[in-house]
Amino acid sequence: MVEQKKDRARHKHETHQIWENRSDYLGGHNRGSIIGVIVYFVVLVSKTPFYYHISFKLTNIDYKSDFGKPYSQEYINLNEKIMTLMNKTFQASKLRRQYVLSHTAKVRESNGKTMVDVVLKFKSCYNNNAAKFRDRARDILLQKLTGDTGSLCIDSSSFKLSDIDMEPAENLLNMCCGRRKMKSPGNKVTGGLDSVEGEWPWQASLQQNNIHRCGATLISNNWLLTAAHCFVNAKDPQEWSVTFGFLLSEPKQKRSVKNIIVHEKYEYPGHDHDIAIINLSKPVLYETNIRKVCLPEENYNFPPDSDVVVTGWGSLKSDGSSPNILQKGIMKIIDNATCNEKEVYDGSITNGMLCAGFLKGRIDACQGDSGGPLVSSDSRGIWFLVGIVSWGDECGLPNKPGVYTRVTYYRNWITSKTGI
Ligand code: 4AZ
């Protein structure tokens, strides 16, 4: 990622100053005792999270295929209704202090009607009477579900509640696509800049013999998209692994690769059909900072001049070194006609490609960003994969924006290989 060096240096200096002031304020042995008191309180009052999985049938809602798409308005509306019902139920109950949140993990079909699976999260300091707590939660829910449930009609005989461990529960809570927990802190700044943890939870590092080679994007718990040219001299899946987490040096999860599917029509050194799919040997577990991106429908149009973000651990200039912190570059889509002008790429941009960046240069993807995501958020703040970092004439040069594989163009190909 080509970036503004000055901003980074200034930021480092400011951070240093803040810490200097802080240590003046806390001073000498006082600091030790304050830390001791904090540790004591954190240990004493810390609450352990625990989770339940509930399911029930909705008798007044016919199943629609859009319920299978977590970004569809139908799914979002239904989730909203269920969450409101759960929030109301527990906030008016004896467990209001322990209740954290609920989330619709799945909407499925049962005899034409709609079944929902919901994960409930609680936090409590009382770990020793789990069975009693579970019975209470079940009683509260059953009482509510047999009574007034607003616009949802619930078949209370279908109601089930069971314990679920933290890992599978967090996996279900984080399986929505294109969402991140935090708001981006620096979206007003243009340029290649440090990301923060959880900002781009679908970004993965594709590594050959444990060395970062390319970016990749999580599209389900066991499939990723990347660029075909990453595998030109190395097609053996055993050489490759995938890591997740925004610091290259501290991966949160790591997986080996079962299979690499390179587009049949990709032919090095050409740039057409620069797309490949990676199948993981074992699914990744979703967590707050590891989530999938949403794939746009085939006919979705990302208009020229709309804002997009490219992310990666690529070098900070042509033939430069790789950063440890995931970088982001905020840029604009450039339409293919402009990108094909004589002084730009002179007709080399085909329908399966798209350009992004600025004609004045500077902010751009670079070597090592290849295969990584170019994303765009819709009006609801849901992030979609627009492109895959593919090629360009060096990095950040005027009239030489980055060129990306156009994901909508390959949407059906992706489905044909993955079922997604
Ligand atoms: C590369 O070598 C590469 N400026 C990737 C992206 C761009 C240039 C080169 C775009 O993988």
Side-chain angles (χ1 to χ4, degrees), residues 10-224:
R10 185 165 47 78
H11 177 71
K12 237 183 183 169
H13 182 68
E14 279 169 3
T15 320
H16 191 61
Q17 272 199 338
I18 290 166
W19 281 103
E20 264 175 11
N21 294 343
R22 232 177 104 88
S23 52
D24 281 354
Y25 173 70
L26 291 171
H29 62 271
N30 252 353
R31 186 171 27 181
S33 43
I34 290 172
I35 291 169
V37 170
I38 292 170
V39 169
Y40 174 78
F41 272 102
V42 167
V43 171
L44 192 75
V45 300
S46 69
K47 295 180 173 181
T48 2
F50 57 100
Y51 305 83
Y52 298 125
H53 178 195
I54 63 168
S55 61
F56 50 84
K57 191 193 266 184
L58 298 170
T59 52
N60 66 334
I61 297 184
D62 291 334
Y63 184 81
K64 297 183 191 79
S65 62
D66 268 4
F67 286 149
K69 297 177 194 154
Y71 56 85
S72 69
Q73 207 51 50
E74 272 77 10
Y75 185 96
I76 290 168
N77 292 347
L78 182 58
N79 181 36
E80 191 73 38
K81 281 183 191 159
I82 294 167
M83 270 173 60
T84 308
L85 178 63
M86 293 298 141
N87 292 348
K88 268 192 188 161
T89 306
F90 284 105
Q91 279 156 9
S93 79
K94 283 191 172 149
L95 299 184
R96 66 184 164 277
R97 281 186 219 287
Q98 287 79 26
Y99 174 71
V100 179
L101 56 82
S102 64
H103 179 78
T104 311
K106 203 169 182 186
V107 181
R108 54 199 163 92
E109 186 173 4
S110 169
N111 300 330
K113 290 286 176 247
T114 305
M115 281 297 280
V116 291
D117 294 283
V118 179
V119 176
L120 302 173
K121 182 173 180 177
F122 293 86
K123 264 189 178 172
S124 169
C125 344
Y126 321 111
N127 305 331
N128 45 1
N129 43 14
K132 218 168 152 187
F133 198 98
R134 186 196 312 116
D135 290 345
R136 259 194 188 177
R138 185 184 280 121
D139 287 348
I140 289 165
L141 272 164
L142 260 176
Q143 200 177 6
K144 182 72 181 174
L145 300 187
T146 43
D148 173 21
T149 51
S151 59
L152 297 171
C153 293
I154 291 165
D155 173 3
S156 57
S157 69
S158 69
F159 174 75
K160 282 197 187 99
L161 180 146
S162 54
D163 290 327
I164 177 169
D165 286 339
M166 175 156 154
E167 267 193 4
E170 286 293 330
N171 189 38
L172 290 170
L173 287 174
N174 291 294
M175 64 193 299
C176 46
C177 70
R179 304 272 192 159
R180 54 193 192 191
K181 200 172 177 204
M182 41 77 60
K183 295 263 176 283
S184 188
N187 262 359
K188 288 204 184 80
V189 197
T190 39
L193 292 169
D194 288 355
S195 298
V196 295
E197 186 161 32
E199 201 176 352
W200 315 107
W202 39 82
Q203 171 87 51
S205 159
L206 179 57
Q207 310 198 340
Q208 185 184 20
N209 303 319
N210 301 316
I211 296 167
H212 170 86
R213 291 279 179 224
C214 275
T217 309
L218 196 63
I219 59 168
S220 80
N221 62 359
N222 61 350
W223 294 103
L224 294 101

Side-chain angles (χ1 to χ4, degrees), residues 229 345 364-370 389-396 400-404:
H229 80 256
Y345 284 118
D364 197 4
C366 203
Q367 224 172 18
D369 291 320
S370 281
V389 179
S390 176
W391 64 281
D393 188 351
E394 298 191 28
C395 311
K400 304 295 168 195
V403 188
Y404 296 78

